[in-house]
C-alpha cells in the first residue's frame, strides 16, 4: 500500500512495526512517521532477541523524533 498511495499508508506504518511478517516490520522501521508511539516500538524492536540483527540495527539507527 505504501508504494501505491503513501499518504493512505501513513497510519498503518506504525502498526506494521508489530506485523507478523519480518519484511513488513523492516519496511515500517524505515518508513513510519515520527511521533506518537514510534520511539517505544522502535526500542522494542531494537532490544528484541527474536528480531534479525539487521532489523535491530535499523531500529537502533532510526531517530524516533
Amino acid at each position: 500500500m505504501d508504494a501505491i498511495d503513501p499518504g493512505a499508508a501513513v497510519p498503518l506504518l506504525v502498526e506494521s512495526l508489530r506485523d507478523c511478517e519480518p519484511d513488513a516490520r523492516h519496511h515500517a522501521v524505515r518508513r513510519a512517521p515520527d511521533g506518537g508511539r514510534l520511539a517505544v516500538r522502535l526500542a522494542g524492536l531494537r532490544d528484541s532477541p527474536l528480531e534479525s540483527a539487521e532489523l535491530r540495527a535499523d531500529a537502533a539507527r532510526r531517530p524516533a523524533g
Side-chain angles (χ1 to χ4, degrees):
M1 180 181 230
D2 192 35
I4 297 168
D5 189 353
V10 167
L12 303 174
L13 286 169
V14 173
E15 293 306 316
S16 293
L17 292 167
R18 293 186 178 181
D19 197 278
C20 65
E21 293 294 327
D23 289 343
R25 290 192 305 276
H26 204 174
H27 180 76
V29 164
R30 288 182 256 129
R31 303 271 301 145
D34 291 341
R37 297 195 42 82
L38 180 64
V40 172
R41 294 199 179 161
L42 286 175
L45 290 171
R46 179 196 65 217
D47 298 338
S48 174
L50 301 175
E51 297 295 344
S52 70
E54 181 182 11
L55 190 127
R56 288 193 318 265
D58 284 350
R61 279 193 295 272
R62 169 73 197 269

